[in-house]
Amino acid sequence: MRLLTKTEIDLVAGGWGSSDQPQDITVWGSSWNYDWYDPSYYTYEIGNGGGGGEPEPEPEPEPEPTPCVEASPDGLSLTDINRAALIASNAIASFNDETYEYGVIIYSLGGTIMTTSVFTQNSTDSIDWNAGIAEIPNGAEIVGIVHNHPDISGINDRIPSPTSMGGQDWLAYDALMNWSGSTRGITVDPNMLMYIYSNEDHKTHVYDKTDKNTTTTSCSLQ
């Protein structure tokens, strides 16, 4: 498996139709309009660049088993989703992840697992998931979200930020669930997974919907 580029994703999706844009997407209090979206402004392609011909493909990283997952998207391979999350985590780690939060959305289209590019709003503690949604083709299903936590002293950065402590991770998760299907036929799997890449231990921990009240670090992909 390899991650598709933005151009390839557009080809798979059949391009944008005249009825597909512009339209507003509102997710947990933020509004985003296709009219002024420029992916190059704050998104980053996952993969190798440079000139001099095609680079040699690197071996795909293999995730460790994740027996901690109790609920995962039906009909899809958990290993494939985990593999996409691990690739996304490695891409996030190549940026200034000790300072800012970055995000990637994992989705399924026709049974194939794909991801968006890495995106950020250069915030130390939040992600605008609308930037990733804009890259997702019509009719796809969101099956996972990946973002990083910069290491903050005195806090367990390996777990989703608890709502009881003012954290936004589970609020964002629920908002994305409630948004499902509101535009372009995109849906969200009821067992969507959340992945946290932590600078505390440089590992990617996976959480499912049964973990909303957890204060315990889950298993990791590395």
Side-chain angles (χ1 to χ4, degrees):
M1 183 194 76
R2 70 176 180 85
L3 301 181
L4 300 186
T5 66
K6 179 65 169 62
T7 300
E8 290 172 323
I9 290 171
D10 287 342
L11 290 174
V12 172
W16 294 99
S18 59
S19 62
D20 294 327
Q21 59 174 326
Q23 53 184 304
D24 289 320
I25 302 173
T26 300
V27 181
W28 59 92
S30 62
S31 183
W32 185 89
N33 189 288
Y34 289 118
D35 276 342
W36 55 265
Y37 176 62
D38 178 3
S40 65
Y41 183 68
Y42 64 164
T43 63
Y44 308 88
E45 292 293 338
I46 299 177
N48 294 321
E54 291 293 325
E56 289 294 325
E58 296 181 1
E60 295 175 352
E62 284 299 314
E64 295 291 331
T66 53
C68 59
V69 174
E70 299 179 50
S72 64
D74 291 334
L76 295 172
S77 165
L78 176 59
T79 299
D80 287 347
I81 300 173
N82 286 345
R83 186 180 295 113
L86 182 56
I87 294 171
S89 297
N90 289 340
I92 287 172
S94 70
F95 295 104
N96 188 13
D97 62 317
E98 295 181 358
T99 302
Y100 300 123
E101 288 197 3
Y102 297 83
V104 172
I105 297 177
I106 305 170
Y107 61 91
S108 171
L109 186 64
T112 300
I113 303 299
M114 293 178 276
T115 76
T116 66
S117 302
V118 179
F119 52 89
T120 185
Q121 60 192 78
N122 294 326
S123 170
T124 59
D125 59 3
S126 63
I127 286 289
D128 181 3
W129 295 101
N130 290 296
I133 290 172
E135 289 190 40
I136 298 175
N138 299 352
E141 181 181 53
I142 298 173
V143 297
I145 50 177
V146 187
H147 75 285
N148 67 298
H149 281 171
D151 186 16
I152 299 176
S153 179
I155 296 176
N156 184 356
D157 301 302
R158 299 167 296 175
I159 64 174
S161 50
T163 304
S164 60
M165 297 178 62
Q168 299 295 312
D169 287 352
W170 287 117
L171 292 177
Y173 180 97
D174 289 340
L176 192 54
M177 284 290 190
N178 293 332
W179 170 87
S180 176
S182 65
T183 187
R184 297 194 287 116
I186 298 172
T187 58
V188 181
D189 191 281
N191 292 327
M192 179 180 70
L193 299 169
M194 182 193 298
Y195 296 87
I196 305 292
Y197 174 72
S198 173
N199 276 103
E200 185 172 332
D201 61 3
H202 303 288
K203 292 185 177 182
T204 305
H205 300 272
V206 55
Y207 298 88
D208 62 46
K209 65 183 181 182
T210 69
D211 296 319
K212 287 187 176 182
N213 297 314
T214 189
T215 57
T216 304
T217 305
S218 73
C219 57
S220 68
L221 306 182
Q222 295 94 331

